[in-house]
Amino acid sequence: MSLVYIAPYRQKDSWGIVSRGLAKTIAKQDNIDLVIRPVWYNINSRETDIGELEQYELAKIKEK
């Protein structure tokens, strides 16, 4: 199953920390093809390094 996760995971604040944690939890599931896209609540607080989550940001939605 494909899942698109849109969240403020690139922010450095608590919104970003929680969003990255949830994305990492979802990514651990075997039956989910994760695709993530960022949204910003505070443009002044951008996280540049999201570690292993970057592979999911670059992923494309798989069609059936």
Side-chain angles (χ1 to χ4, degrees):
M1 169 175 58
S2 292
L3 176 74
V4 178
Y5 178 63
I6 302 170
Y9 59 84
R10 280 199 169 265
Q11 290 188 192
K12 294 180 182 178
D13 59 10
S14 60
W15 287 99
I17 293 167
V18 171
S19 298
R20 284 189 297 277
L22 183 55
K24 290 176 184 178
T25 300
I26 295 169
K28 290 179 184 177
Q29 305 302 313
D30 291 334
N31 58 341
I32 294 181
D33 296 320
L34 180 62
V35 177
I36 61 175
R37 297 295 183 258
V39 64
W40 286 271
Y41 294 134
N42 181 355
I43 199 89
N44 297 326
S45 176
R46 288 187 177 194
E47 180 75 33
T48 56
D49 181 23
I50 56 172
E52 74 265 6
L53 290 177
E54 190 168 0
Q55 67 179 320
Y56 302 108
E57 190 176 74
L58 299 173
K60 304 229 187 268
I61 298 171
K62 296 179 182 177
E63 293 186 35
K64 289 188 177 193

